[in-house]
Amino acid sequence: MNDHDRDTLLAAAVRLRTDGRPEEARQQLLSLSAAFPADAEVAYQTAWVHDVLGLEAEAVPFYERCLDGTGLSEEDRRGALLGLGSTHRVLGQYERAVEVLRSGVERFPDDGALRTFLAMALFNTGEHRESMQLLLKLLAATSEDPHVRQYRRAIEHYAQDLHETM
């Protein structure tokens, strides 16, 4: 199989996933992964389709492979970090989820989804203060709700210390 075939088959598999035919996409992606084991993009798409199908444990090695490899676009790297962190969280591997999601937030500090999933994983590890802090800062920074916007400075202030009183 040559690179042109790989590109054509990968595009077809992604289309199958987006068209609501994930099991067919999975079969094609597993074949592509076998043919191109070092291909980060193929590994990412293979991980993604496993997550779509609720096969989180099977997704992990593909996420790890794509993140260890080269050639992944920054947008796909962002998605892979979110996917892997979220998958670890769903599997109850909370500390690993925090580790992966923290690295994602460090690399992509403006990504609200990464920060939200990190907050959930932090909650699962008992880090409630940091979890709330992340969510409150995100809410204050991104909410379009006029009432939240009205109290943005207060929310940001109290996000630093929810126990603060007068």
Side-chain angles (χ1 to χ4, degrees), residues 9-30 45-46 48-55:
L9 290 170
L10 181 59
V14 169
R15 244 186 334 277
L16 285 170
R17 178 181 47 79
T18 59
D19 289 347
R21 296 165 54 194
E23 185 53 47
E24 291 174 66
R26 178 178 173 267
Q27 293 308 315
Q28 285 192 13
L29 288 162
L30 287 171
Q45 292 299 330
T46 306
W48 189 345
V49 80
H50 279 86
D51 264 351
V52 167
L53 288 165
L55 303 171

Side-chain angles (χ1 to χ4, degrees), residues 66-114:
C66 78
L67 289 167
D68 288 342
T70 59
L72 206 57
S73 72
E74 283 297 287
E75 191 59 30
D76 285 350
R77 182 164 299 281
R78 178 190 310 249
L81 287 164
L82 178 62
L84 179 58
S86 173
T87 297
H88 279 304
R89 186 182 159 279
V90 166
L91 294 171
Q93 301 163 352
Y94 303 129
E95 290 80 13
R96 182 71 178 122
V98 168
E99 181 183 323
V100 170
L101 292 164
R102 269 196 207 285
S103 73
V105 168
E106 287 171 12
R107 185 165 184 151
F108 303 102
D110 295 331
D111 188 306
L114 279 165

